[in-house]
Amino acid sequence: MDDEIHLFILWENARVLQDRIIDDIKENFELLDIIEIRWDEEYFAHNLKCFYGVNLPKNSKKEQHCGNGSFLLLIVRDTEPLYRRRRTSSGSKIVNVNLFDSKEMYRKWLGGGHKVHASNDVEESNHDLKLLLGYNTEEISLLYNRNQRIKAYRKIL
């Protein structure tokens, strides 16, 4: 199977363990970049809605749980993707278990909840990266293969 581009997001309230999580990611994936993103607090709930596809009111439990400050986007290359069935928040699905199992472990380190996000498959990775950065996985792979970095990101709004 070919390499895949994926992402992790460490929402604001996950950043207390960011060094430990980043170290683990470096051991298991090729870490291409870390980008700090800050959404305007006024639009944070709307951006979460665009990102997750769920209508969340301003100051929702999700927003309070994750935090609405700056968060880290970690772009990774999985050189040995492996797909298996896992129970997700939206039912049983076939996912990249390298990403999924790592995400679940980081969430346990943080005491549970959803303070860490990771793409479960290439389709989700494309969706998330396009919204966050304006690039799909193929474009990002080309950039990093040429040793170019993403110099700017665009807001969802």
Side-chain angles (χ1 to χ4, degrees), residues 93-130:
K93 295 190 173 189
I94 294 177
V95 299
N96 180 322
V97 294
N98 300 333
L99 275 287
F100 186 86
D101 292 351
S102 292
K103 170 184 66 180
E104 291 297 306
M105 180 175 67
Y106 305 149
R107 287 175 173 179
K108 284 180 186 172
W109 291 355
L110 289 158
H114 296 88
K115 297 173 190 170
V116 175
H117 172 80
S119 49
N120 287 335
D121 55 38
V122 174
E123 182 179 337
E124 182 177 14
S125 188
N126 271 315
H127 169 269
D128 294 354
L129 289 167
K130 196 72 170 171

Side-chain angles (χ1 to χ4, degrees), residues 3 11 27 31 42 47 72 81 90 106 111 127 136-137 148:
D3 295 353
W11 296 111
E27 286 182 26
L31 180 59
E42 181 181 346
N47 288 346
L72 295 183
S90 56
Y106 305 149
H127 169 269
N136 65 29
T137 57
Q148 295 174 301

Side-chain angles (χ1 to χ4, degrees), residues 39 43-56 127-128 131 156-157:
W39 289 336
Y43 298 108
F44 200 93
H46 178 76
N47 288 346
L48 279 180
K49 175 188 173 191
C50 292
F51 192 75
Y52 286 112
V54 176
N55 194 6
L56 297 167
H127 169 269
D128 294 354
L131 279 176
I156 289 178
L157 270 183

Side-chain angles (χ1 to χ4, degrees), residues 26-38:
K26 286 178 180 177
E27 286 182 26
N28 295 291
F29 303 95
E30 180 184 347
L31 180 59
L32 299 176
D33 209 347
I34 301 173
I35 300 170
E36 185 170 35
I37 298 175
R38 182 168 186 85

Side-chain angles (χ1 to χ4, degrees), residues 50-108:
C50 292
F51 192 75
Y52 286 112
V54 176
N55 194 6
L56 297 167
K58 186 169 178 58
N59 207 27
S60 66
K61 288 182 182 180
K62 171 76 173 170
E63 186 176 339
Q64 290 176 25
H65 174 71
C66 293
N68 60 13
S70 65
F71 58 92
L72 295 183
L73 169 64
L74 293 89
I75 302 172
V76 302
R77 185 186 323 268
D78 184 356
T79 58
E80 298 180 20
L82 177 64
Y83 282 80
R84 298 282 185 264
R85 188 166 296 280
R86 291 287 190 269
R87 177 161 299 288
T88 72
S89 57
S90 56
S92 179
K93 295 190 173 189
I94 294 177
V95 299
N96 180 322
V97 294
N98 300 333
L99 275 287
F100 186 86
D101 292 351
S102 292
K103 170 184 66 180
E104 291 297 306
M105 180 175 67
Y106 305 149
R107 287 175 173 179
K108 284 180 186 172

